[in-house]
Amino acid sequence: MVEITRHFVTSTFVVYENKVLLHKHKKLNLILPLGGHIDRDELPTLAAVREVKEEAGLDVDLYQSKSYNKYDDGSYEINQGEYLHVHKINEFHEHICYVYFAKAYSSNLSPQKGESKELIWFTKEEILNSSYLKENVKKYALEALEKIK
């Protein structure tokens, strides 16, 4: 039996003025949403916002499809994103990805040093007509555009 290592990650589909931000991943050479690994002891929501700030220099508000509660005992619910998407990195490694949608308040990009410089704002038409975007990226990007106005 093959042991599979799984890591928790986030992907955030950032929307601004009816466009969604994607980037060319430096290692994979694919057009993907912003995101990355969730640090030890970090909540997924905070990782999603942090990764967007690091990779694009944007401040965002995460979309919430429902409200979340805080309880008298100090426990609370968090925004778990729109999807949990599992994808293979190789036969021994998978990522469990919290997929978030977010609203940006600017399109001014300033990725941190070492991050991808190939950031692209896509319209709905560009996403629909793309032959190189992965199926799940298209689906989530289109849904983000639909939900965030």
Side-chain angles (χ1 to χ4, degrees):
M1 180 184 205
V2 174
E3 183 176 321
I4 297 175
T5 301
R6 293 183 178 94
H7 292 161
F8 289 95
V9 299
T10 64
S11 288
T12 305
F13 290 81
V14 177
V15 176
Y16 179 75
E17 294 187 351
N18 296 312
K19 293 182 181 177
V20 66
L21 182 63
L22 302 172
H23 75 114
K24 187 172 185 180
H25 193 281
K26 294 185 308 182
K27 294 178 185 173
L28 301 176
N29 203 30
L30 295 170
I31 304 295
L32 298 171
L34 305 177
H37 285 82
I38 299 171
D39 291 340
R40 182 178 176 190
D41 299 327
E42 185 176 36
L43 292 172
T45 52
L46 298 177
V49 170
R50 175 184 53 77
E51 287 288 349
V52 170
K53 186 69 169 179
E54 289 174 2
E55 293 183 354
L58 295 173
D59 293 314
V60 296
D61 286 330
L62 295 180
Y63 173 80
Q64 291 188 173
S65 56
K66 62 182 180 178
S67 60
Y68 297 92
N69 298 305
K70 291 184 179 181
Y71 298 98
D72 292 340
D73 66 0
S75 65
Y76 55 96
E77 299 169 345
I78 63 167
N79 179 349
Q80 68 268 18
E82 299 305 300
Y83 296 95
L84 273 178
H85 179 90
V86 180
H87 55 273
K88 284 187 178 295
I89 302 304
N90 59 47
E91 69 177 299
F92 307 108
H93 187 165
E94 292 180 343
H95 282 174
I96 302 168
C97 185
Y98 288 83
V99 178
Y100 290 97
F101 302 157
K103 181 175 185 170
Y105 293 93
S106 167
S107 63
N108 297 328
L109 304 173
S110 60
Q112 290 183 0
K113 186 176 181 179
E115 299 292 347
S116 173
K117 302 293 185 214
E118 296 186 62
L119 297 141
I120 309 136
W121 291 101
F122 284 83
T123 65
K124 179 179 180 179
E125 293 74 27
E126 290 169 327
I127 294 163
L128 287 169
N129 294 323
S130 170
S131 60
Y132 54 85
L133 290 177
K134 294 174 66 171
E135 181 181 4
N136 65 302
V137 172
K138 276 187 169 185
K139 174 190 175 189
Y140 300 147
L142 291 170
E143 189 173 330
L145 286 170
E146 181 181 304
K147 289 187 174 178
I148 298 178
K149 300 294 179 190

